[in-house]
Amino acid sequence: MQVECVAATKDVVGESPRWDHRHSRLVWVDAERPLLHSLDPRTGHVGTHRLSEPASSIALRADGGYVITDRCGVRALSWAHDDTPSVGELLMPLEAGRADCVVNDSGCDQDGRLLVGFGSESTGGLGRVESVAARSGAQPGNRQIRTGMFLPNGIGWSPDGRRLYLADSYARSVYVHSYDRRTGDLGEAQVFHRAERDEGLPDGLAVDSEGCVWVAFWGGHAVRRYSPSGELLRTVDLPVRQVSSCAFGGPGLTDLYITTAAFGLEGGVAAAGSLFRVATGAQGLPVDLVRF
């Protein structure tokens, strides 16, 4: 598979790639700088937009806009016709709890809930996942559905929405849970994949239409595809070390877009922090929309 650099954005930590089928573009953020990027694959145009502060993730919203997560919580984001995004109201305040615990990645389920991870790079056991969902009244509600983690990262679901995959980077593990779509509750965690030291740290992930899981490995130069039973099927080698996340996009959802980071690579590879694309032959799942 040929890996193509499609946006040399030099992100400190490129994160949260999302394919927006409504506008045929990919959006992603730099989690260390207040930047939001967009790519139009038809023209190759890359737009870079400044936010008021760094966002840790972005998701599509059912009202036609987006939501982002940052240190304060979940915020609305609109995108004007002049191609200018604008951060709006705080939809759901979220409290990390400690200075060394931060809001991290997120994922949206098929019923419009947004799962948000909180974690630490230095202290185990602080990490948790909260589910933010619509409720009666003006503001959504949130509740903890997983605790005792280190740094929750990639979040994704099986095609039927009944299995949740969840990476915990510093635990070097990807877990799988049964997922109750009616309530949003998790079953007991099972280890889906535990990374060896030379593999890197499991970071962002994506699930394809066959139920296979594509995991980006921070420090591992690669994205790896695993069968639903956890068997390694394929490795996509990257020319940079810090591989942070991945998502399917393009008209047929057959292109895998991969974000990377320049973090910790002073004087390193020039392509670090770029967005890459590879035609995988697999097909991704439709992007789910936040419904609050």
Side-chain angles (χ1 to χ4, degrees):
M1 291 180 291
Q2 183 177 355
V3 176
E4 175 188 10
C5 178
V6 291
T9 45
K10 298 185 183 299
D11 291 324
V12 179
V13 181
E15 276 288 5
S16 192
R18 302 285 184 262
W19 177 251
D20 186 348
H21 59 280
R22 304 165 301 186
H23 302 285
S24 297
R25 67 186 171 201
L26 189 87
V27 295
W28 73 104
V29 301
D30 186 335
E32 291 294 320
R33 298 185 295 173
L35 298 178
L36 167 65
H37 304 295
S38 62
L39 169 71
D40 183 342
R42 298 164 297 187
T43 64
H45 174 72
V46 178
T48 295
H49 316 276
R50 183 162 290 276
L51 304 173
S52 56
E53 63 179 274
S56 61
S57 71
I58 185 169
L60 279 62
R61 197 178 182 197
D63 71 352
Y66 304 82
V67 298
I68 58 172
T69 57
D70 61 23
R71 63 183 179 86
C72 295
V74 183
R75 296 183 184 274
L77 184 140
S78 60
W79 210 301
H81 293 297
D82 63 356
D83 202 31
T84 303
S86 176
V87 178
E89 65 178 312
L90 181 64
L91 299 170
M92 185 72 234
L94 298 173
E95 296 291 338
R98 288 174 43 152
D100 58 347
C101 187
V102 297
V103 178
N104 202 36
D105 208 351
S106 70
C108 179
D109 74 8
Q110 295 177 13
D111 300 286
R113 304 179 187 92
L114 186 70
L115 272 58
V116 182
F118 299 74
S120 170
E121 294 184 349
S122 59
T123 307
L126 296 182
R128 68 185 189 275
V129 177
E130 294 191 5
S131 177
V132 184
R135 65 179 183 185
S136 57
Q139 194 176 62
N142 65 305
R143 64 188 182 93
Q144 293 185 15
I145 59 172
R146 175 80 196 269
T147 59
M149 302 185 72
F150 210 133
L151 184 65
N153 249 310
I155 299 171
W157 285 262
S158 59
D160 64 4
R162 300 188 183 281
R163 284 162 61 93
L164 173 76
Y165 297 97
L166 175 61
D168 189 343
S169 294
Y170 284 92
R172 311 189 73 89
S173 297
V174 180
Y175 298 100
V176 60
H177 304 255
S178 61
Y179 189 77
D180 188 326
R181 288 189 53 185
R182 183 180 62 84
T183 64
D185 291 334
L186 301 184
E188 185 177 350
Q190 305 290 330
V191 175
F192 177 74
H193 176 73
R194 180 159 285 133
E196 300 295 333
R197 197 152 297 275
D198 61 352
E199 289 182 79
L201 304 177
D203 203 322
L205 59 81
V207 182
D208 66 29
S209 61
E210 297 177 25
C212 296
V213 185
W214 300 71
V215 182
F217 282 86
W218 180 273
H221 296 89
V223 173
R224 300 184 178 95
R225 185 192 192 215
Y226 298 91
S227 72
S229 63
E231 177 189 1
L232 177 62
L233 300 177
R234 188 183 303 177
T235 297
V236 179
D237 293 312
L238 276 294
V240 298
R241 189 172 76 196
Q242 313 292 42
V243 185
S244 54
S245 193
C246 57
F248 284 94
L253 296 177
T254 55
D255 291 327
L256 188 70
Y257 287 92
I258 303 166
T259 54
T260 66
F263 181 84
L265 300 177
E266 295 81 359
V269 178
S274 296
L275 176 75
F276 294 87
R277 177 174 61 202
V278 58
T280 62
Q283 183 178 43
L285 297 171
V287 175
D288 294 309
L289 306 179
V290 173
R291 300 188 182 278
F292 58 78

